[in-house]
Amino acid sequence: MGKKVSPVKDFLAGGFGGACLVFVGHPLDTIKVRLQTMPRPAPGQKPLYAGTWDCAMQTVRKEGFFGLYKGMAAPLTGVSPMFAICFLGFGIGKKLQQKHPTDDLTYLQYWNAGMLSGVFTTVIMTPGERIKCLLQIQADAHTKKYAGPIDCIKQLYREGGIRSIYRGTCATLLRDVPASGMYFMSYEWLQHVLAPEGASRSDLSVGRTLLAGGMAGVFNWCVAIGPDVLKSRLQTAPEGTYPNGVRDVFRHVMKEEGPRALFRGLTPVMLRAFPANAACFMGYEMAMKFLHWLVPDKS
Ligand SMILES: CC(=O)O[C@H](CC(=O)[O-])C[N+](C)(C)C
């Protein structure tokens, strides 16, 4: 039997989980975006970054350790509410498929609920990612166009209105709908299979939650990495570069760089995925426990 959970608790605990994810994961996210969007080297020239380590070292040397935390204000103010909506959407998705609030769900139903949460989060994810990516690729004074997230929103609005702020919506849906299905289904599956004989899914352990949460992040990114490259390219390209959106980016990437380019940034993505999502689910479960203690659910 499952447990009845209030949507308000899902929202609040999800928000706390999101804040934990940003603190742990942002430095590797910066490296990922820089690798994904660095200019192609001219024939015979070396690429700007040789790889993950080189990108991290160059960033720390030129911009100091906090260079890796560049653009974090936007995800902190954006990712926390986004994860709040994400866990709320997942909760709603589960409820929509239950006849009774305590009915157990199949893994396919967890997948469906996860996909619905991916649709919910796009509203906030698309502008959040657009601003974050634009700030993250500002490596030096020459490339610095935006003073910060607010300035970035203002400039985008001035240049192209709401359309510009929401550039990359299809690419974000393409990335997050299947990836969120995978995220929540794999988390629930791992919590079940890792639970010792006789223990139930709700008898949480720290080790199991960290492992299931971390692996859910890894599975999420196995599905998300290709569309993520397309999204980062689209959201950071100068106005008018891709008139047909993500389809144009895909065609351009295939023609110029081949399918390997769809895995650009995979190392920092995977290095970040485990700790960031372990922290996220741990934060979520801890906050949920606290909220249950504070306001017990009526069953
Ligand atoms: C692509 C992304 O944002 O994935 C989230 C996990 C992460 O590593 O940030 C999960 N989710 C898409 C469900 C929000």
Side-chain angles (χ1 to χ4, degrees):
M1 270 279 188
K3 220 172 162 189
K4 190 178 165 199
V5 179
S6 119
V8 179
K9 287 183 183 169
D10 266 332
F11 184 83
L12 294 175
F16 184 69
C20 296
L21 169 130
V22 174
F23 276 118
V24 175
H26 193 75
L28 280 152
D29 193 67
T30 300
I31 297 169
K32 177 203 80 169
V33 172
R34 288 188 175 188
L35 287 174
Q36 287 178 336
T37 58
M38 68 178 164
R40 284 191 76 201
Q45 275 204 330
K46 277 196 193 155
L48 180 58
Y49 306 117
T52 303
W53 184 246
D54 182 45
C55 179
M57 285 298 100
Q58 282 199 47
T59 302
V60 172
R61 225 177 291 126
K62 286 187 206 151
E63 301 162 55
F65 176 73
F66 290 104
L68 293 169
Y69 275 93
K70 209 169 250 181
M72 194 177 83
L76 248 197
T77 43
V79 170
S80 267
M82 187 276 286
F83 268 86
I85 294 175
C86 176
F87 278 88
L88 172 73
F90 179 59
I92 293 176
K94 284 190 291 185
K95 278 203 181 79
L96 288 174
Q97 300 176 93
Q98 287 170 316
K99 285 203 176 76
H100 187 269
T102 56
D103 282 352
D104 283 331
L105 281 99
T106 65
Y107 290 120
L108 178 66
Q109 287 174 320
Y110 282 125
W111 169 278
N112 292 336
M115 290 210 299
L116 183 73
S117 92
V119 177
F120 274 41
T121 53
T122 303
V123 182
I124 199 162
M125 182 75 102
T126 307
E129 286 273 301
R130 171 108 155 106
I131 296 158
K132 176 184 76 83
C133 290
L134 285 170
L135 294 176
Q136 281 175 318
I137 61 165
Q138 298 193 135
D140 50 41
H142 298 294
T143 51
K144 196 165 166 118
K145 183 176 173 199
Y146 308 106
I150 303 290
D151 180 46
C152 185
I153 300 179
K154 279 188 189 156
Q155 287 199 44
L156 291 177
Y157 188 74
R158 222 176 294 131
E159 283 162 18
I162 288 286
R163 263 182 89 88
S164 172
I165 293 176
Y166 271 87
R167 188 200 299 168
T169 302
C170 283
T172 308
L173 280 168
L174 203 64
R175 184 190 74 169
D176 286 345
V177 172
S180 302
M182 181 58 110
Y183 189 64
F184 285 108
M185 186 195 69
S186 57
Y187 178 72
E188 291 300 328
W189 173 67
L190 284 163
Q191 280 285 15
H192 272 99
V193 295
L194 296 172
E197 274 294 309
S200 97
R201 151 77 178 84
S202 42
D203 306 328
L204 294 170
S205 90
V206 172
R208 191 151 41 96
T209 300
L210 290 176
L211 185 57
M215 286 312 296
V218 170
F219 287 130
N220 168 83
W221 278 104
C222 288
V223 176
I225 185 70
D228 184 62
V229 172
L230 303 178
K231 183 198 68 59
S232 295
R233 297 277 177 100
L234 179 62
Q235 291 190 313
T236 57
E239 197 64 47
T241 313
Y242 301 110
N244 295 309
V246 68
R247 269 175 302 155
D248 277 357
V249 190
F250 181 71
R251 269 189 227 117
H252 183 261
V253 167
M254 286 300 116
K255 189 160 159 253
E256 299 294 322
E257 299 164 65
R260 271 179 74 110
L262 293 178
F263 297 92
R264 183 86 64 84
L266 185 67
T267 309
V269 160
M270 287 308 180
L271 285 175
R272 171 193 165 278
F274 190 94
N277 289 287
C280 176
F281 277 103
M282 198 62 232
Y284 169 82
E285 298 288 9
M286 272 168 47
M288 203 46 131
K289 258 203 149 101
F290 173 73
L291 291 168
H292 282 326
W293 169 81
L294 199 67
V295 189
D297 274 319
K298 294 179 210 99
S299 43

